[in-house]
């Protein structure tokens, strides 16, 4: 049976590009118009694995996606980074002066806000997906409306790029997670990265003690993200990524951290892709 990979957005989206790079150019995808729908496709078995954006080098972490992974007890089985190039596109034969509205995903618009300051006549509209807007413009042959999306979206839907690489910082990159309902088995692949979640009381020195364990067992922390636990004031969840050389050292560190924290959960172990 051919594996189906869930993506947020339609073909031509950055999620679709990641699926092609990670699983191969002929990957079969399940299009989902929200992250909640994406997770539901995985839990319901409509897709076997999903691609999920988790952080961007400009706008930071997508916090609700951490919660979705945690709440549904999903497993991180891989990661993939891609440089993000945002492009302004519209139906052929137009120029920027004729574009009155531009629609795209909120994160895409945020990454391009400096560019659009030069064109105050353009109204920016938040939408569900970068490529889906491009597709809609093509299907409706809508003039005067632009999309911010990938070059692949322009090619797929027959749009003309009016301005390339309009994102503010040219080092713009997004990290995507590959998520499954079951954990990753090594099968000969080097597993050297882990995503963790644990809870701590707001007590002096509690986080420092955990960080000392991470250091003492030669784990290299690449990310830490805190989130308040809404139901319990003054308690926090921490989402942490670590890389390691020795898997046995990682396991020893987890045994100690489990005693020192509340509700330690290993969200997944996988191959470092950076």
């Amino acid at each position: 049976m051919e594996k189906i990979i869930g993506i947020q957005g339609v073909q031509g989206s950055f999620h679709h590009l990641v699926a092609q790079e990670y699983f191969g150019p002929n990957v079969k995808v399940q299009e989902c118009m929200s992250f909640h729908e994406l997770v539901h496709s995985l839990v319901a078995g409509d897709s076997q694995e999903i691609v999920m954006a988790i952080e961007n080098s400009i706008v930071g972490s997508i916090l609700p996606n951490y919660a979705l992974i945690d709440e549904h007890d999903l497993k991180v089985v891989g990661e993939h980074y891609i440089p993000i190039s945002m492009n302004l596109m519209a139906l052929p034969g137009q120029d920027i002066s004729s574009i009155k509205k531009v629609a795209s995903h909120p994160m895409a618009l945020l990454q391009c806000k400096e560019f659009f300051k030069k064109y105050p006549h353009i109204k920016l509209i938040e939408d569900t997906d970068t490529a889906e807007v491009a597709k809609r413009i093509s299907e409706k042959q809508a003039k005067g409306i632009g999309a911010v999306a990938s070059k692949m979206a322009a090619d797929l839907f027959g749009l003309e790029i009016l301005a390339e690489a309009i994102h503010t910082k040219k080092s713009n990159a997004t990290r995507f997670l590959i998520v499954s309902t079951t954990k990753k088995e090594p099968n000969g692949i080097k597993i050297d990265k882990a995503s963790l979640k644990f809870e701590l009381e707001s007590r002096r020195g509690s986080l420092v003690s955990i960080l000392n364990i991470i250091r003492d067992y030669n784990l290299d922390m690449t990310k830490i993200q805190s989130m308040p636990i809404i139901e319990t004031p003054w308690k926090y969840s921490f989402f942490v990524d670590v890389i390691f050389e020795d898997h046995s050292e990682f396991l020893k560190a987890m045994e100690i951290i489990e005693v020192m924290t509340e509700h330690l959960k290993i969200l997944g172990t996988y191959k470092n892709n950076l």
Side-chain angles (χ1 to χ4, degrees):
M1 180 180 174
E2 187 177 8
K3 182 182 285 189
I4 300 173
I5 305 302
I7 60 171
Q8 193 272 314
V10 300
Q11 294 189 45
S13 66
F14 291 105
H15 279 76
H16 183 213
L17 182 60
V18 170
Q20 287 186 323
E21 290 186 2
Y22 191 88
F23 294 99
N26 298 319
V27 62
K28 187 173 183 180
V29 296
Q30 171 84 14
E31 298 175 343
C32 304
M33 296 317 297
S34 70
F35 287 116
H36 281 89
E37 185 182 333
L38 179 64
V39 168
H40 181 265
S41 80
L42 178 61
V43 173
D46 297 328
S47 54
Q48 282 68 62
E49 292 182 359
I50 60 175
V51 174
M52 176 182 277
I54 200 68
E55 61 180 307
N56 176 265
S57 59
I58 295 176
V59 298
S61 298
I62 307 174
L63 295 180
N65 287 357
Y66 282 103
L68 283 171
I69 293 170
D70 182 33
E71 289 167 10
H72 294 275
D73 200 27
L74 303 178
K75 302 299 180 185
V76 180
V77 297
E79 66 175 0
H80 193 72
Y81 294 79
I82 60 167
I84 300 293
S85 179
M86 297 295 182
N87 306 278
L88 176 60
M89 60 195 67
L91 288 176
Q94 303 178 94
D95 55 33
I96 294 180
S97 64
S98 63
I99 302 300
K100 306 304 179 187
K101 299 177 182 178
V102 169
S104 193
H105 190 278
M107 286 189 69
L109 295 178
L110 187 61
Q111 292 167 30
C112 304
K113 63 180 181 179
E114 292 302 316
F115 173 83
F116 285 111
K117 283 181 180 180
K118 297 181 289 186
Y119 303 97
H121 71 281
I122 295 178
K123 181 180 180 181
L124 300 180
I125 301 171
E126 294 186 355
D127 214 301
T128 54
D129 178 58
T130 55
E132 201 277 331
V133 174
K135 180 181 180 182
R136 198 186 316 145
I137 290 172
S138 177
E139 289 176 343
K140 295 183 177 180
Q141 289 294 291
K143 293 188 175 182
I145 301 177
V148 174
S150 68
K151 288 184 178 181
M152 182 168 68
D155 292 339
L156 276 174
F157 304 119
L159 301 185
E160 183 179 331
I161 293 179
L162 305 182
E164 293 186 6
I166 64 172
H167 45 286
T168 303
K169 294 186 178 180
K170 302 313 173 188
S171 58
N172 187 13
T174 295
R175 179 187 179 214
F176 294 78
L177 298 180
I178 313 302
V179 180
S180 176
T181 55
T182 55
K183 70 178 184 178
K184 180 92 168 179
E185 298 298 336
N187 294 329
I189 298 173
K190 182 181 180 182
I191 301 297
D192 56 1
K193 190 168 185 177
S195 293
L196 321 170
K197 181 233 177 178
F198 55 81
E199 296 177 9
L200 288 176
E201 292 185 7
S202 182
R203 181 167 43 83
R204 184 177 181 182
S206 57
L207 179 58
V208 172
S209 298
I210 302 300
L211 298 181
N212 286 339
I213 296 299
I214 289 175
R215 178 200 61 199
D216 292 345
Y217 282 85
N218 300 309
L219 309 182
D220 185 8
M221 186 175 67
T222 59
K223 181 179 178 63
I224 182 167
Q225 180 73 55
S226 65
M227 290 178 64
I229 301 172
I230 304 301
E231 314 85 58
T232 312
W234 315 121
K235 286 184 68 176
Y236 294 85
S237 294
F238 291 88
F239 293 87
V240 174
D241 291 334
V242 295
I243 54 177
F244 49 86
E245 287 293 330
D246 188 334
H247 192 258
S248 63
E249 290 279 276
F250 166 73
L251 293 177
K252 290 175 185 175
M254 292 305 101
E255 289 178 3
I256 297 172
I257 290 175
E258 186 170 22
V259 174
M260 299 172 64
T261 61
E262 301 180 20
H263 310 299
L264 171 68
K265 181 189 285 188
I266 299 175
L267 300 175
T269 54
Y270 48 97
K271 185 182 186 304
N272 178 26
N273 190 241
L274 190 59

